[in-house]
Amino acid sequence: MVSVIKAPRGTRDLLPGEIEKWHYVEKVARNVSEIYGYQEIRTPIFEHTELFQRGIGDTTDVVQKEMYTFEDRGDRSITLRPEGTAGVVRAYLENHLNNKPQPVKVYYLGPMFRYDRPQAGRMRQFHQLGIEAFGSHDPALDTEVISYTYDFLQRLGLLDLRVLVNSVGCPECRALYSKALKDFMKMFQDALCENCRDRLDRNPLRILDCKEQSCQELLDGAPGIHAYLCKGCREHLQQVLGYLELTAIPFEVAEHLVRGLDYYTQTVFEILPAGNDQDSLAGGGRYSNLVEICGGPAIPGMGVALGLERVLLALESQGVELPLEKRESIYIATAGEDPSGNLHREAVRLLLELRRCDYPAEKDLLGRSLKSQMKQAGRIGASYVIILGTDELERGTVLLRNMKKGEQFEISRERLLEYLKAIVQTREAGMWKASEN
RNA sequence: GUGGGUGUAGCUCAGCAGGCUAGAGCAUCAGGUUGUGGCCCUGAGGGUCGUGGGUUCAAGUCCCAUCACCCACCCCA
């Protein structure tokens, strides 16, 4: 026997039973996006490698060691998207969306790929919900994006969220601060962890993020970025915070928050589940130069990405019960000897009829006994079973069994659909949904 | 990429310090009612003990490697 091929490392299947949660989360995502005025955009899952190198930044870990890059048959270097923003920016420019009324506000939902070492909440193929808004410098936009993110998480039922906000300044003032921080840290070089000594030259701001106790202690005495922000950046931050106050979203100004992607300017933020400093649920910020870096005009953008696996994990660890709709259907069972096949043919005809009337309906496909058919009907959550037996066939009737009540009665074929219709109409909003009855 | 832990039926696990045909519960299928589910009873199928080497008279049980998963680090969603 040949061996069974397994899914590649860091990937997994979403099976019936779990996928319903994803559908629900996606439904809320689309809902909130609409409420905030964002429209869906779908961009390719792979792009030219150069897009990410330029967009995300060559020095970032994502680009340096986490990309799924390969040559296609035309010798092009292709990369499976590790995040969503770069592709959206590309699409914005390529489709001349800058000629549309601004701001252009889009959301995306889909898989991303990073060659990481998998662990809980970190997959090689993972899924993000993200939004991007182009063409506005308004601090209220920054707040809107933060609010969107918070709102989405809250609507799902997540509590105890930490919202961290900071500004990393513009290229000008960040450069000043970066130098100041570097100069300061140089004095204590020996006390820094190995990693941070590397960061000193590559990207001093990252030291702020270090979780090493020793580095954190040094940081207490180090200059903070806020003192170095230029007038524009300082005011921008103040206004963002001011608007945030209005939203009543609890937030913390985290002067040490810097993000891993190079394109961020000014506002950056992160949302974490309580009691978990490691796996942030969402991260985002403003990017004033990314569009230019990608070859377009100087148009600012602001966005966020949420990790859906992590959102699902947080929901689980907080014990949130999602209001999933139960699957419900009508099951057609046949009973009795059927040497001529008439019974079976009639069942198939009835099945078709029900489905054409939009009733979710199923029948046995395994030639099972009536008992087994009943069992199956119960398992799949059928609310009604139509039992079609040889006797009923002769009389032109069926037995209609209410599975929840365990009651059944005989009804003529002609009146059956009428009767079912009446049941549906009795139900709330006329929807074919699980409820009492 | 670094360090650590784990790996026995579809699922959750048991298997004592290596020793006979590897077990349980749940799930699946069938039967108990030749036309009726959710409870109960009976039975059946299903495992080359992650994979490959090695030690031993003998390995699920010890050793090595490898793969996968989990945890921590790095980083990020």
Coordinates of all heavy atoms in Angstrom, one line a residue, chain A residues 125-162:
Chain A
Q125 N 0.8 28.7 6.3 CA -0.3 29.3 5.6 C -1.2 29.8 6.7 O -1.7 29.0 7.4 CB -1.0 28.4 4.6 CG -2.2 29.1 4.0 CD -2.9 28.2 2.9 OE1 -2.4 27.3 2.4 NE2 -4.2 28.5 2.7
F126 N -1.4 31.1 6.7 CA -2.4 31.6 7.7 C -3.3 32.6 7.0 O -3.1 32.8 5.8 CB -1.6 32.3 8.9 CG -0.7 33.4 8.5 CD1 -1.1 34.7 8.7 CD2 0.5 33.2 7.8 CE1 -0.3 35.8 8.3 CE2 1.3 34.2 7.4 CZ 0.9 35.5 7.7
H127 N -4.3 33.1 7.8 CA -5.3 33.9 7.1 C -5.4 35.2 7.8 O -5.4 35.3 9.0 CB -6.6 33.1 7.1 CG -6.5 31.9 6.3 ND1 -6.0 30.7 6.9 CD2 -6.9 31.6 5.0 CE1 -6.0 29.8 5.9 NE2 -6.5 30.2 4.8
Q128 N -5.5 36.2 7.0 CA -5.7 37.6 7.5 C -6.9 38.3 7.0 O -7.3 38.0 5.8 CB -4.4 38.4 7.1 CG -3.2 38.1 7.9 CD -2.1 39.1 7.6 OE1 -2.0 39.7 6.6 NE2 -1.2 39.2 8.6
L129 N -7.4 39.1 7.8 CA -8.4 40.1 7.4 C -7.7 41.4 7.5 O -7.0 41.7 8.5 CB -9.6 40.1 8.4 CG -10.4 41.4 8.4 CD1 -11.2 41.5 7.0 CD2 -11.4 41.4 9.5
G130 N -7.8 42.2 6.5 CA -7.1 43.5 6.5 C -7.8 44.6 5.8 O -8.7 44.3 5.0
I131 N -7.6 45.8 6.2 CA -8.1 46.9 5.5 C -7.0 47.9 5.1 O -6.0 48.0 5.8 CB -9.3 47.7 6.3 CG1 -8.7 48.3 7.5 CG2 -10.4 46.7 6.6 CD1 -9.8 49.1 8.3
E132 N -7.2 48.7 4.1 CA -6.3 49.7 3.7 C -7.1 50.9 3.2 O -8.2 50.7 2.5 CB -5.4 49.3 2.5 CG -4.8 47.9 2.7 CD -3.7 47.8 3.7 OE1 -3.2 48.9 4.2 OE2 -3.3 46.7 4.1
A133 N -6.7 52.1 3.6 CA -7.4 53.3 3.1 C -6.3 54.2 2.6 O -5.3 54.5 3.2 CB -8.1 54.0 4.3
F134 N -6.6 54.7 1.4 CA -5.6 55.5 0.7 C -6.1 57.0 0.5 O -7.3 57.2 0.3 CB -5.3 55.0 -0.7 CG -4.7 53.6 -0.7 CD1 -5.5 52.5 -0.8 CD2 -3.3 53.4 -0.5 CE1 -5.0 51.2 -0.7 CE2 -2.8 52.1 -0.4 CZ -3.6 51.0 -0.6
G135 N -5.1 57.9 0.5 CA -5.5 59.2 0.1 C -5.8 60.2 1.2 O -6.3 61.3 0.9
S136 N -5.7 59.8 2.4 CA -6.0 60.8 3.5 C -5.0 60.8 4.6 O -4.4 59.8 5.0 CB -7.4 60.3 4.2 OG -7.6 61.1 5.4
H137 N -4.7 62.1 5.0 CA -3.7 62.3 6.1 C -4.4 62.4 7.4 O -3.8 62.6 8.4 CB -2.9 63.6 5.8 CG -1.9 63.5 4.7 ND1 -0.7 62.8 4.8 CD2 -1.9 63.9 3.4 CE1 -0.1 62.9 3.7 NE2 -0.8 63.5 2.8
D138 N -5.7 62.5 7.3 CA -6.5 62.8 8.5 C -6.3 61.9 9.7 O -6.4 60.7 9.5 CB -8.0 62.8 8.1 CG -8.9 63.5 9.1 OD1 -8.5 63.5 10.3 OD2 -9.9 64.1 8.7
P139 N -5.9 62.4 10.8 CA -5.8 61.5 12.0 C -7.0 60.7 12.3 O -7.0 59.7 12.9 CB -5.4 62.5 13.1 CG -5.0 63.7 12.5 CD -5.7 63.8 11.1
A140 N -8.2 61.3 11.9 CA -9.4 60.6 12.2 C -9.4 59.2 11.4 O -10.1 58.3 11.8 CB -10.6 61.4 11.7
L141 N -8.7 59.1 10.3 CA -8.6 57.9 9.6 C -7.9 56.8 10.4 O -8.2 55.7 10.5 CB -7.9 58.1 8.3 CG -7.6 56.8 7.5 CD1 -8.9 56.0 7.2 CD2 -6.8 57.1 6.2
D142 N -6.8 57.3 11.1 CA -6.0 56.4 11.9 C -6.9 55.8 13.0 O -6.9 54.6 13.3 CB -4.9 57.1 12.6 CG -3.9 57.8 11.6 OD1 -4.5 58.3 10.6 OD2 -2.7 57.8 11.8
T143 N -7.7 56.7 13.6 CA -8.6 56.3 14.6 C -9.7 55.3 14.1 O -10.1 54.3 14.7 CB -9.3 57.5 15.3 OG1 -8.3 58.4 15.7 CG2 -10.1 57.0 16.4
E144 N -10.1 55.6 12.9 CA -11.1 54.8 12.3 C -10.6 53.3 12.1 O -11.4 52.4 12.4 CB -11.5 55.3 10.9 CG -12.4 54.4 10.1 CD -12.9 55.0 8.8 OE1 -13.7 56.0 8.8 OE2 -12.5 54.5 7.7
V145 N -9.4 53.2 11.7 CA -8.8 51.9 11.4 C -8.7 51.1 12.8 O -8.9 49.9 12.9 CB -7.5 52.0 10.7 CG1 -6.8 50.6 10.6 CG2 -7.7 52.5 9.3
I146 N -8.2 51.9 13.8 CA -8.1 51.2 15.1 C -9.5 50.8 15.6 O -9.7 49.7 16.1 CB -7.4 52.2 16.1 CG1 -6.0 52.5 15.6 CG2 -7.4 51.6 17.5 CD1 -5.3 53.6 16.4
S147 N -10.4 51.7 15.4 CA -11.8 51.5 15.9 C -12.4 50.3 15.1 O -13.1 49.4 15.7 CB -12.6 52.7 15.6 OG -14.0 52.5 15.8
Y148 N -12.2 50.2 13.8 CA -12.6 49.1 13.0 C -12.1 47.8 13.6 O -12.9 46.8 13.8 CB -12.1 49.2 11.6 CG -12.2 48.0 10.7 CD1 -13.3 47.8 9.9 CD2 -11.3 47.0 10.8 CE1 -13.4 46.7 9.1 CE2 -11.4 45.8 10.0 CZ -12.5 45.7 9.1 OH -12.6 44.6 8.3
T149 N -10.9 47.7 13.9 CA -10.2 46.5 14.4 C -10.8 46.1 15.8 O -11.2 45.0 16.0 CB -8.7 46.7 14.6 OG1 -8.2 47.3 13.4 CG2 -8.0 45.4 14.9
Y150 N -10.9 47.1 16.6 CA -11.5 46.9 17.9 C -12.9 46.4 17.9 O -13.4 45.4 18.5 CB -11.4 48.1 18.8 CG -11.7 47.9 20.2 CD1 -10.7 47.4 21.1 CD2 -12.9 48.3 20.8 CE1 -11.0 47.2 22.4 CE2 -13.2 48.1 22.1 CZ -12.2 47.5 22.9 OH -12.5 47.3 24.2
D151 N -13.7 47.1 17.0 CA -15.1 46.8 16.8 C -15.3 45.3 16.3 O -16.1 44.6 16.9 CB -15.6 47.8 15.8 CG -17.1 48.0 16.0 OD1 -17.8 47.2 16.7 OD2 -17.7 48.9 15.3
F152 N -14.5 45.0 15.4 CA -14.6 43.6 14.8 C -14.3 42.6 15.9 O -15.1 41.6 16.1 CB -13.5 43.4 13.7 CG -13.3 42.0 13.2 CD1 -14.3 41.4 12.5 CD2 -12.2 41.3 13.6 CE1 -14.1 40.1 12.1 CE2 -12.0 40.0 13.2 CZ -13.0 39.4 12.4
L153 N -13.3 42.8 16.7 CA -12.9 41.8 17.7 C -14.0 41.8 18.8 O -14.3 40.7 19.3 CB -11.6 42.1 18.3 CG -10.4 42.0 17.3 CD1 -9.1 42.6 18.0 CD2 -10.2 40.6 16.9
Q154 N -14.5 42.9 19.1 CA -15.5 43.0 20.1 C -16.9 42.3 19.7 O -17.5 41.7 20.5 CB -15.8 44.4 20.5 CG -16.1 44.6 22.0 CD -16.3 46.0 22.4 OE1 -16.7 46.9 21.6 NE2 -16.0 46.3 23.6
R155 N -17.2 42.6 18.4 CA -18.4 42.0 17.9 C -18.4 40.5 18.0 O -19.4 39.8 18.1 CB -18.7 42.4 16.5 CG -19.4 43.8 16.4 CD -19.4 44.3 15.0 NE -19.7 45.7 15.0 CZ -20.9 46.2 14.5 NH1 -21.8 45.4 14.0 NH2 -21.1 47.5 14.5
L156 N -17.2 39.9 17.8 CA -17.0 38.5 17.9 C -17.2 38.0 19.3 O -17.4 36.8 19.5 CB -15.7 38.1 17.3 CG -15.5 38.1 15.8 CD1 -14.1 37.8 15.5 CD2 -16.4 37.2 15.1
G157 N -17.1 38.9 20.2 CA -17.2 38.5 21.6 C -15.9 38.5 22.4 O -15.9 38.0 23.6
L158 N -14.9 39.0 21.9 CA -13.6 39.0 22.6 C -13.6 40.2 23.6 O -14.0 41.3 23.3 CB -12.4 39.2 21.7 CG -12.1 37.9 20.8 CD1 -11.0 38.3 19.8 CD2 -11.6 36.8 21.7
L159 N -13.1 39.8 24.8 CA -13.1 40.8 25.9 C -11.6 41.0 26.3 O -10.7 40.3 25.9 CB -13.9 40.3 27.1 CG -15.3 39.9 26.8 CD1 -15.9 39.2 28.0 CD2 -16.1 41.2 26.5
D160 N -11.4 42.0 27.1 CA -10.1 42.2 27.7 C -9.0 42.3 26.6 O -8.0 41.6 26.6 CB -9.7 41.0 28.6 CG -10.6 40.9 29.8 OD1 -11.1 42.0 30.2 OD2 -10.8 39.8 30.3
L161 N -9.2 43.2 25.7 CA -8.3 43.5 24.7 C -7.4 44.7 25.1 O -7.8 45.6 25.7 CB -9.0 43.8 23.3 CG -9.9 42.7 22.8 CD1 -10.8 43.3 21.7 CD2 -9.1 41.5 22.3
R162 N -6.1 44.5 24.7 CA -5.2 45.6 25.0 C -4.9 46.3 23.6 O -4.5 45.7 22.7 CB -3.9 45.2 25.6 CG -4.1 44.6 27.0 CD -2.7 44.2 27.5 NE -1.8 45.3 27.6 CZ -0.4 45.2 27.6 NH1 0.1 44.0 27.4 NH2 0.3 46.2 27.7

